């Protein structure tokens, strides 16, 4: 505040040797005083000292633990704050990103939620809980009319795991809604190949084929629905 960065760095260098709990208390004090920018600078500076020394961040786990407690208490905005801080240090685990995605979902920020769950899936691409949340977020974007963003979520999900039949189905439905029948058919056929006993995908495929003026393959799709049912 007095425009004395050298003195500030000397103070931070000294305090960076303190126990982690003491550092977090100091950061919390800055936050309570409304000095959020200084809080960030303080934590970033100390984290940089750890990085230069070749050590993992001392803050990732404590802030992740705080965020986890807040999630369990369903204090979603506060959880977003703690978990955002946890992932900012660059070495957060997949579950921290997952909890951040859930917290964003509950605060209504579906785009940030989808970005966070994508990070979790990059670390653990085959985790079914992460995959399910990713797909659900895409559906949430779709139902709120954010079609392009929903499509991006489903495409990203398939990049991470090309075997997700539900993502193919949802892309097919999106393309059908926009009148892109060839693209809708392509996605739905891919979905039926991945999940041949999924009634819903065959049903949507039949609808697309009817609209595309292909009664014979449409009939085959509907008969497949009846054979499964």
């Amino acid at each position: 505040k007095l425009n004395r960065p050298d003195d500030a760095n000397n103070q931070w260098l000294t305090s960076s040797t303190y126990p982690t709990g003491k550092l977090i208390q100091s950061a919390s004090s800055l936050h309570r005083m409304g000095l959020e920018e200084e809080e960030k600078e303080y934590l970033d500076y100390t984290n940089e000292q750890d990085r230069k020394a070749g050590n993992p961040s001392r803050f990732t786990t404590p802030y992740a633990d705080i965020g986890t407690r807040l999630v369990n208490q369903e204090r979603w905005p506060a959880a977003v704050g703690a978990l955002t801080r946890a992932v900012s240090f660059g070495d957060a685990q997949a579950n921290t990103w997952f909890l951040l995605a859930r917290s964003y979902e509950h605060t209504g920020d579906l785009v940030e939620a989808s970005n966070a769950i994508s990070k979790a899936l990059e670390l653990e691409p085959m985790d079914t809980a992460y995959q399910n949340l990713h797909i659900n977020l895409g559906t949430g974007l779709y139902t709120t009319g954010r079609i392009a963003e929903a499509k991006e979520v489903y495409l990203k999900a398939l990049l991470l795991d090309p075997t997700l039949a539900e993502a193919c189905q949802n892309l097919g439905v999106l393309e059908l809604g926009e009148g892109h029948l060839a693209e809708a058919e392509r996605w739905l056929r891919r979905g039926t190949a991945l999940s041949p006993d999924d009634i819903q995908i065959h049903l949507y495929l039949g609808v697309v084929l009817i609209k595309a003026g292909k009664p014979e393959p449409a009939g085959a799709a509907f008969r497949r629905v009846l054979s499964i049912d």
Side-chain angles (χ1 to χ4, degrees), residues 128-144:
T128 54
Y130 300 171
Q131 291 175 344
N132 290 338
L133 179 58
H134 201 192
I135 295 295
N136 290 342
L137 290 170
T139 302
L141 289 165
Y142 168 64
T143 56
T144 55

Side-chain angles (χ1 to χ4, degrees), residues 100-121:
L100 178 58
R102 283 187 57 205
S103 301
Y104 272 128
E105 180 187 22
H106 281 279
T107 61
D109 195 336
L110 299 183
V111 174
E112 286 297 334
S114 65
N115 290 337
I117 199 61
S118 293
K119 291 289 188 180
L121 283 164

Side-chain angles (χ1 to χ4, degrees), residues 125-126 128 131 135 154 157-169 190-196 201:
M126 303 310 293
T128 54
Q131 291 175 344
I135 295 295
Y154 297 139
L158 283 169
L159 280 175
L160 293 166
D161 182 1
T163 68
L164 288 175
E166 188 177 358
C168 294
Q169 172 188 299
R190 178 172 167 180
T192 59
L194 290 169
S195 185
I201 302 178

Side-chain angles (χ1 to χ4, degrees), residues 144-202:
T144 55
R146 301 164 77 170
I147 306 301
E149 291 160 322
K151 193 179 296 186
E152 184 178 341
V153 168
Y154 297 139
L155 290 170
K156 191 177 293 184
L158 283 169
L159 280 175
L160 293 166
D161 182 1
T163 68
L164 288 175
E166 188 177 358
C168 294
Q169 172 188 299
N170 293 348
L171 283 165
V173 172
L174 289 179
E175 297 293 359
L176 171 61
E178 294 186 319
H180 304 151
L181 299 180
E183 280 297 298
E185 180 182 350
R186 181 173 71 85
W187 283 117
L188 292 167
R189 286 198 181 280
R190 178 172 167 180
T192 59
L194 290 169
S195 185
D197 294 329
D198 190 309
I199 293 174
Q200 200 73 29
I201 302 178
H202 288 285

Side-chain angles (χ1 to χ4, degrees), residues 67-89:
T68 300
R69 288 197 298 272
L70 292 167
V71 166
N72 291 336
Q73 296 167 5
E74 298 185 357
R75 295 169 59 188
W76 303 113
V80 166
L83 294 166
T84 299
R85 175 54 68 189
V87 301
S88 71
F89 302 113

Side-chain angles (χ1 to χ4, degrees), residues 189 202-211 213-227:
R189 286 198 181 280
H202 288 285
L203 183 61
Y204 281 127
L205 178 59
V207 171
V208 168
L209 292 169
I210 284 290
K211 287 183 173 291
K214 300 177 180 180
E216 291 186 9
F222 291 134
R223 285 192 294 273
R224 179 63 178 141
V225 170
L226 294 173
S227 72

